[in-house]
Amino acid sequence: MKPTLFLLAAGMGSRYGGLKQLDGLGPNGETIMDYSIYDAINAGFGKLVFVIRKDFEQDFRDKIISKYEGHIPCEMVFQALDALPEGFTCPADRTKPWGTNHAVMMGADVIKEPFAVINCDDFYGRDSFQVMGKFLANLPEGAKNTYSMVGFRVGNTLSESGTVSRGICETNEKNLLTSVVERTKIQRIDGEVKYIDDNGEWTATADTTPVSMNFWGFTPDYFAYSQEFFKTFLSDPKNMENLKSEFFIPLMVDKLINDGTATVEVLDTASKWFGVTYPEDRQSVVDKIQALVDAGEYPAKLF
């Protein structure tokens, strides 16, 4: 069974004002998402599922889905503030979505096979889709609790325009994830990758240290765990009072690892991640994509 690619697109309108996030960065106006989908199709993924806001549906269908439909089956699911388990109601003043793992939960009715989750505005690169596609395709029929994450080498994920936040991963001898620690200030200083540690000191880390860029691989049992743990999350008054609290994927993954319920294999990739973290990154992204096209990694026109 071919794996599915689940694209987190629900935040597009809020963060970028309409569909501006679908900024044409490739030589023929291709978006970062176009490259991800092209790479996913070539890596053997069999279906796309987009999670979006309901009020975006027509716009999204016209401008985006129409482009891919001839190449791969596509579905849409919707993230809404009131999509909560029975017995819970959304605080009246809340406007912020409930976070990435809540978005993933919206796929439960349409995804019955192993699936990968990505951000739709991050350039992950061909090799990362190959390693994830291979992992998911090789899972035995009906596999459960065997998850994965693409661990990008931190040196391949930095911005030339300033510091970045990354989840620095710790693994055991079997390359299974043991923890992800969010470091909010990472950059290259005098040739070395450094981050600010808990004591406020710059600490060096190897270029090859794996970091999470929100590229996860799950089996469908993940949905039931998420639905249960989301009730626990909502039952904490702190999370209801804080109108910006979010149910993130790492929160769920962390719980499953610590409980011993699931394992998450960290998949190494040589791919270089990039994205528009700062407005001044845009030209550098355009140049990097052009260089990949010039090198024959991608055709000048994708779809």
Side-chain angles (χ1 to χ4, degrees), residues 141-242:
E141 186 81 28
K144 290 183 173 179
N145 307 327
T146 308
Y147 307 149
S148 60
M149 183 203 88
V150 177
F152 283 80
R153 301 168 191 173
V154 67
N156 284 342
T157 74
L158 304 178
S159 164
E160 285 140 39
S161 310
T163 62
V164 295
S165 296
R166 298 287 177 256
I168 291 193
C169 302
E170 302 257 324
T171 55
N172 66 14
E173 68 288 347
K174 293 181 177 162
N175 234 22
L176 299 177
L177 188 65
T178 55
S179 76
V180 181
V181 179
E182 193 65 28
R183 296 294 180 190
T184 54
K185 289 197 166 74
I186 306 179
Q187 69 184 125
R188 196 178 291 284
I189 300 170
D190 301 330
E192 272 192 310
V193 179
K194 294 189 174 179
Y195 64 85
I196 301 241
D197 66 16
D198 297 338
N199 302 318
E201 305 285 326
W202 283 102
T203 303
T205 189
D207 261 55
T208 52
T209 302
V211 294
S212 167
M213 301 305 297
N214 223 28
F215 193 162
W216 300 93
F218 297 119
T219 45
D221 50 292
Y222 185 76
F223 293 121
Y225 296 131
S226 297
Q227 280 148 3
E228 274 312 300
F229 192 45
F230 191 40
K231 291 177 194 167
T232 308
F233 177 89
L234 294 171
S235 301
D236 184 337
K238 272 204 319 283
N239 291 329
M240 281 306 222
E241 287 156 20
N242 174 4

Side-chain angles (χ1 to χ4, degrees), residues 48-271:
L48 305 178
V49 177
F50 298 89
V51 57
I52 64 168
R53 294 197 334 243
K54 182 74 177 153
D55 57 330
F56 247 37
E57 183 178 4
Q58 202 52 51
D59 218 6
F60 201 85
R61 198 178 284 286
D62 295 344
K63 292 182 181 159
I64 296 159
I65 299 279
S66 59
K67 198 172 6 178
Y68 309 128
E69 274 184 322
H71 301 274
I72 186 170
C74 300
E75 299 207 41
M76 283 185 286
V77 295
F78 307 103
Q79 184 179 23
L81 289 175
D82 58 1
L84 299 178
E86 211 172 309
F88 294 94
T89 48
C90 182
D93 298 340
R94 186 173 178 108
T95 56
K96 191 174 184 61
W98 289 103
T100 49
N101 209 60
H102 179 251
V104 170
M105 287 163 58
M106 301 303 108
D109 290 339
V110 299
I111 298 177
K112 307 297 177 195
E113 57 285 314
F115 65 103
V117 178
I118 64 166
N119 295 337
C120 67
D121 52 347
D122 287 0
F123 192 105
Y124 290 106
R126 180 198 296 174
D127 182 64
S128 64
F129 285 94
Q130 297 284 353
V131 298
M132 178 59 83
K134 186 175 169 192
F135 176 90
L136 295 174
N138 287 341
L139 287 171
E141 186 81 28
K144 290 183 173 179
N145 307 327
T146 308
Y147 307 149
S148 60
M149 183 203 88
V150 177
F152 283 80
R153 301 168 191 173
V154 67
N156 284 342
T157 74
L158 304 178
S159 164
E160 285 140 39
S161 310
T163 62
V164 295
S165 296
R166 298 287 177 256
I168 291 193
C169 302
E170 302 257 324
T171 55
N172 66 14
E173 68 288 347
K174 293 181 177 162
N175 234 22
L176 299 177
L177 188 65
T178 55
S179 76
V180 181
V181 179
E182 193 65 28
R183 296 294 180 190
T184 54
K185 289 197 166 74
I186 306 179
Q187 69 184 125
R188 196 178 291 284
I189 300 170
D190 301 330
E192 272 192 310
V193 179
K194 294 189 174 179
Y195 64 85
I196 301 241
D197 66 16
D198 297 338
N199 302 318
E201 305 285 326
W202 283 102
T203 303
T205 189
D207 261 55
T208 52
T209 302
V211 294
S212 167
M213 301 305 297
N214 223 28
F215 193 162
W216 300 93
F218 297 119
T219 45
D221 50 292
Y222 185 76
F223 293 121
Y225 296 131
S226 297
Q227 280 148 3
E228 274 312 300
F229 192 45
F230 191 40
K231 291 177 194 167
T232 308
F233 177 89
L234 294 171
S235 301
D236 184 337
K238 272 204 319 283
N239 291 329
M240 281 306 222
E241 287 156 20
N242 174 4
L243 299 176
K244 295 198 167 158
S245 64
E246 291 186 69
F247 186 44
F248 291 119
I249 295 169
L251 193 68
M252 183 72 240
V253 168
D254 202 44
K255 175 183 164 49
L256 293 174
I257 291 173
N258 289 330
D259 289 354
T261 304
T263 58
V264 177
E265 188 172 332
V266 177
L267 310 173
D268 180 44
T269 180
S271 282

